Amino acid sequence: MDDGMDDGVLPEDGQDWPLPPAWMWGCEDCFRLYREMKHPAARDPLPGAAVPAEGEAQLGLARHIAAEHRAELPGYAATCRVCVDHQARTARDRAMGRSTLTTEQLAREHRARHAFVPDSTVHLP
């Protein structure tokens, strides 16, 4: 697998982007989705399909990580208001006897973004 270092996939010095954890580089899907997020033109869209925006590509990578790498997900960040909100929603749903499938999935997707998105972006709802 290409290591991504020669094509500007890795964050450069001075950029706000964190260096993704090593386990992401070991997963072909993570690597591909990360590259597509950083370089949307690298995506091989269907004929006539639009290239996804960075946010859409972020969501695709976050969904993959939430589904396939649960054990590697970062924990809730106490200083992140979005994490705190997800925890509160899940606890409220659980206390009211509601299904927590949706709230837990959204929380996992958000937590996944902590692994590869700048804090200034991931703290946005």
Side-chain angles (χ1 to χ4, degrees), residues 53-120:
E54 181 183 297
E56 190 178 332
Q58 271 185 36
L59 183 56
L61 178 54
R63 284 182 176 157
H64 165 74
I65 292 171
E68 302 297 326
H69 301 286
R70 281 184 167 182
E72 289 88 4
L73 281 175
Y76 287 101
T79 59
C80 174
R81 65 181 172 81
V82 179
C83 280
V84 171
D85 186 50
H86 281 301
Q87 284 181 297
R89 286 181 191 187
T90 301
R92 182 185 62 231
D93 287 352
R94 189 171 287 126
M96 295 177 81
R98 295 181 188 163
S99 171
T100 60
L101 292 176
T102 301
T103 53
E104 288 176 346
Q105 178 62 28
L106 292 172
R108 282 191 297 274
E109 290 172 11
H110 171 77
R111 288 170 39 215
R113 292 177 66 228
H114 277 283
F116 62 91
V117 177
D119 284 342
S120 60

